[in-house]
Amino acid sequence: MKAAIEVHADSSPGVLHELTGVIARHGGNILSVASADHGGESRIFFELDLPDGPASLIVDLGQLGVVRRLAQVETMESVYGKRIIIMGGGAQVGQVALGAITEADRHNIRGEHISVDTIPLVGEQTLAAAVRASARLPRVKALVLAGSLMGGEIEHAVREVRASGLLVVSLNMAGSVPEAADLVVTDPVQAGVMAVMAVADTAKFTVERLKRRVF
């Protein structure tokens, strides 16, 4: 079963090694892990797939000397669900977000969990780095590129993340990025709506069934 555990532990070398050793002994598969330091204390969040549930694992983790306290919490999937990231020029990002947030709300009311992240960025190298980094973030299902001109290294980054399975929607803009995207949409609000529809389980819409890819 899937479970999430938040551990408050000493901020010192080897803490993660001790924690993951106990998880391994319980046959746990670590699906994701995040760690942050808060005033000399490490807060480590694990999402795990456990064969026998988290109860005995929590007991054994609590016996480690480095652990101050811990608790079972909700998984990020159950709280925030699928993520859509919108990046590019500020004005266009705002318009895409308007469509995406409105459409996500419609599906979330019906039981979905879809969250929308935005980041206004400029510059070829900056955007290319952000596109590549989006594929390394957990739960990201779609990326929307919102701008007036994108190409060069950004196009290469788009092709890389698409190869890893990430859906990429582009506004109909100048540059070569639209040629590399899965879907090209002229209206920014509609681009946000279609990105959400493409990842929502409660929507009867799939990019693969479209007869054309530019709208």
Side-chain angles (χ1 to χ4, degrees):
M1 65 173 291
K2 290 185 178 180
I5 298 173
E6 184 179 54
V7 180
H8 294 233
D10 296 340
S11 182
S12 58
V15 169
L16 191 59
H17 175 73
E18 291 192 50
L19 296 173
T20 55
V22 174
I23 293 170
R25 288 197 295 274
H26 281 259
N29 180 31
I30 299 175
L31 303 176
S32 69
V33 59
S35 178
D37 184 81
H38 292 265
E41 177 183 80
S42 286
R43 296 183 186 177
I44 307 167
F45 175 78
F46 292 101
E47 291 199 358
L48 309 165
D49 191 2
L50 295 164
D52 301 315
S56 60
L57 172 62
I58 289 174
V59 171
D60 286 350
L61 286 172
Q63 293 176 352
L64 293 175
V66 297
V67 173
R68 299 180 182 181
R69 60 188 182 279
L70 75 163
Q72 183 178 358
V73 295
E74 297 291 331
T75 67
M76 291 298 182
E77 184 75 31
S78 66
V79 176
Y80 289 105
K82 305 164 187 171
R83 297 172 71 183
I84 294 173
I85 298 180
I86 307 166
M87 64 178 66
Q92 291 96 330
V93 165
Q95 289 300 300
V96 174
L98 176 63
I101 293 169
T102 302
E103 184 68 11
D105 181 65
R106 186 169 73 90
H107 291 282
N108 289 346
I109 286 172
R110 294 187 287 170
E112 283 271 8
H113 292 277
I114 300 172
S115 55
V116 180
D117 300 332
T118 63
I119 178 167
L121 293 171
V122 294
E124 179 182 346
Q125 297 303 322
T126 300
L127 276 162
V131 170
R132 291 187 172 102
S134 64
R136 299 193 294 268
L137 293 172
R139 300 176 292 100
V140 176
K141 303 300 181 183
L143 172 65
V144 185
L145 292 172
S148 301
L149 170 63
M150 292 186 194
E153 191 61 29
I154 306 170
E155 177 200 345
H156 298 316
V158 167
R159 295 188 186 277
E160 289 173 19
V161 298
R162 281 188 63 201
S164 70
L166 187 63
L167 173 72
V168 179
V169 179
S170 170
L171 293 189
N172 199 353
M173 67 178 84
S176 57
V177 160
E179 299 172 10
D182 292 285
L183 190 63
V184 180
V185 185
T186 301
D187 180 76
V189 175
Q190 184 182 359
V193 171
M194 294 181 76
V196 171
M197 289 176 63
V199 305
D201 292 332
T202 49
K204 296 179 180 179
F205 171 78
T206 56
V207 173
E208 293 79 10
R209 296 180 63 184
L210 295 175
K211 301 297 183 183
R212 57 194 176 102
R213 54 177 293 276
V214 180
F215 295 86

